[in-house]
Amino acid sequence: MDIPGFISTILWPIKWVVEGLLVLFHTVLAGLGMDPAEGLTWVLSIVGMVLVIRAALIPIFVRQIKSQRKMLEVAPQLKKIQDKYKGKKDQFSREAMSRETMELYKKTGTNPLSSCLPLLLQMPIFFSLFSVLNDAQKGTAGVFWLNSDLALQFGNAKLFGVAPLHESFQQATATGHVAVMIIAVIMVILMTGSQFITQLQIMSRNQSPEAKNSPMFKQQRILLYILPLVFAFSGFSFPLGVMFYWLTSNFWTMGQQFLVIRNMPTPGSEAAKAREARLAKKGKLNIATAADGSVNHVVLEAPKPTQRQQPVGKTRAKKQGEKK
């Protein structure tokens, strides 16, 4: 699968960065004594590149979380609009519902597509790496950093000396490289499993009761099972080098979501209740309860200001005693 020329031109700046990070980590690893032609050296270079790129995307991820919180806040208002036009399928009602929905988004500063932004930003990087690796297997130099010698070395690199990084599962069925097929199958399973776990922990632990009753939640439940299948089938057509990028990115996302759900959970969700219980156990929360034992509210205990006791001289102490 070749990327069309005009898309390759658009991806040129991203390919420049991808090549720069790839060559930088490869140079460092080779300087540490690793074989520059070995596939493992290039795989670790890909992993290092992913870590840098995903770290750079953290601010965008934080914006995504804030936008999702805003969407939760407007969910009740959005449901009122949907209930208002429920059962009305004429064009006028549809246009009115769409207009009121857009006005609500504009008024509250929310964007339903913001949750897809990190994934959308990763896609050009994904295709840029695919293009770099696809050109490298042909011995074609990159846009700047990946010269002809490095491109040929990258294209011919074999993981553990038996699995060419430029081959996919489909290509391996024709060339007979069993090692490529085995590694590809293992990676597809890991990619699919990590994607499923990431979505599952969001759906099961980080959704408020209101969100679970919304139509959006039903759509997310469908995607919970569809997206891993998409990765499973598409993964067999990607070269091993590209799959290592995607797998590392998936693991990063899974770990990042775990930390966010644990430390910044959605208010009212199971994860939020678990966090409140942990903080209460440590004495950092004061849970007010009603007579029947139910929780009324949770109040964060403010730190008590401490003032250092100043030393007092004998004369000053005597005067203070006389005043008393």
Side-chain angles (χ1 to χ4, degrees):
M1 183 178 70
D2 293 326
I3 296 177
F6 73 96
I7 296 181
S8 182
T9 302
I10 295 174
L11 295 177
W12 192 95
I14 304 176
K15 291 170 67 175
W16 191 91
V17 175
V18 168
E19 286 184 13
L21 290 172
L22 194 64
V23 172
L24 173 63
F25 278 101
H26 181 264
T27 303
V28 171
L29 291 172
L32 293 175
M34 296 188 68
D35 184 359
E38 173 60 38
L40 182 60
T41 306
W42 284 105
V43 167
L44 293 178
S45 301
I46 293 172
V47 172
M49 178 196 67
V50 174
L51 297 180
V52 172
I53 291 173
R54 291 307 305 266
L57 292 177
I58 287 178
I60 298 174
F61 182 75
V62 173
R63 285 189 61 186
Q64 175 193 7
I65 295 174
K66 292 180 179 179
S67 180
Q68 288 176 341
R69 297 288 167 82
K70 287 184 178 180
M71 286 297 297
L72 289 174
E73 292 175 2
V74 303
Q77 302 176 54
L78 186 62
K79 191 174 186 305
K80 288 181 180 179
I81 296 176
Q82 293 170 345
D83 292 340
K84 180 180 176 181
Y85 296 97
K86 188 176 181 180
K88 299 179 181 180
K89 298 182 180 181
D90 59 284
Q91 185 176 356
F92 177 79
S93 298
R94 289 181 179 179
E95 290 178 355
M97 185 176 72
S98 178
R99 183 172 58 254
E100 291 184 22
T101 301
M102 294 306 296
E103 288 176 356
L104 177 63
Y105 288 151
K106 185 177 180 181
K107 180 181 178 181
T108 56
T110 53
N111 185 355
L113 298 179
S114 60
S115 59
C116 303
L117 186 59
L119 179 61
L120 293 176
L121 289 176
Q122 285 186 72
M123 293 310 293
I125 301 171
F126 175 79
F127 283 113
S128 296
L129 178 60
F130 179 87
S131 178
V132 168
L133 185 56
N134 191 47
D135 292 340
Q137 68 173 322
K138 302 173 184 176
T140 305
V143 297
F144 185 79
W145 302 102
L146 201 66
N147 57 39
S148 300
D149 293 337
L150 284 174
L152 188 62
Q153 189 182 79
F154 188 20
N156 294 331
K158 295 181 179 180
L159 185 61
F160 308 126
V162 293
L165 293 181
H166 68 266
E167 277 197 7
S168 65
F169 180 90
Q170 292 179 345
Q171 293 173 330
T173 56
T175 58
H177 285 153
V178 179
V180 173
M181 289 187 279
I182 294 174
I183 294 174
V185 169
I186 294 173
M187 291 183 67
V188 165
I189 293 173
L190 292 175
M191 287 167 60
T192 306
S194 59
Q195 180 71 29
F196 181 80
I197 292 172
T198 300
Q199 294 298 322
L200 182 62
Q201 65 181 349
I202 297 174
M203 297 284 294
S204 61
R205 302 192 67 246
N206 203 38
Q207 296 281 359
S208 64
E210 293 81 7
K212 289 183 177 181
N213 293 325
S214 66
M216 189 179 299
F217 182 78
K218 296 178 181 178
Q219 296 174 3
Q220 289 177 339
R221 287 194 64 179
I222 296 174
L223 292 176
L224 173 66
Y225 297 98
I226 292 179
L227 283 179
L229 291 176
V230 172
F231 284 114
F233 287 106
S234 61
F236 288 109
S237 62
F238 292 131
L240 289 184
V242 178
M243 290 175 69
F244 272 108
Y245 163 82
W246 202 252
L247 179 62
T248 306
S249 185
N250 274 10
F251 281 160
W252 175 286
T253 301
M254 185 170 62
Q256 187 172 248
Q257 284 288 4
F258 174 79
L259 292 176
V260 168
I261 291 174
R262 180 177 174 82
N263 300 309
M264 298 173 57
T266 301
S269 64
E270 293 181 12
K273 295 177 182 177
R275 181 173 181 270
E276 290 166 1
R278 289 196 306 270
L279 292 176
K281 189 176 181 180
K282 294 178 181 179
K284 297 181 179 180
L285 280 180
N286 180 23
I287 304 179
T289 57
D292 59 357
S294 61
V295 176
N296 285 335
H297 58 275
V298 180
V299 182
L300 282 170
E301 291 185 341
K304 297 179 180 179
T306 57
Q307 185 175 1
R308 181 174 176 267
Q309 185 68 32
Q310 298 293 332
V312 181
K314 294 182 178 180
T315 306
R316 187 177 175 186
K318 185 177 180 182
K319 291 180 178 180
Q320 289 178 353
E322 292 175 354
K323 288 180 181 179
K324 292 180 180 179

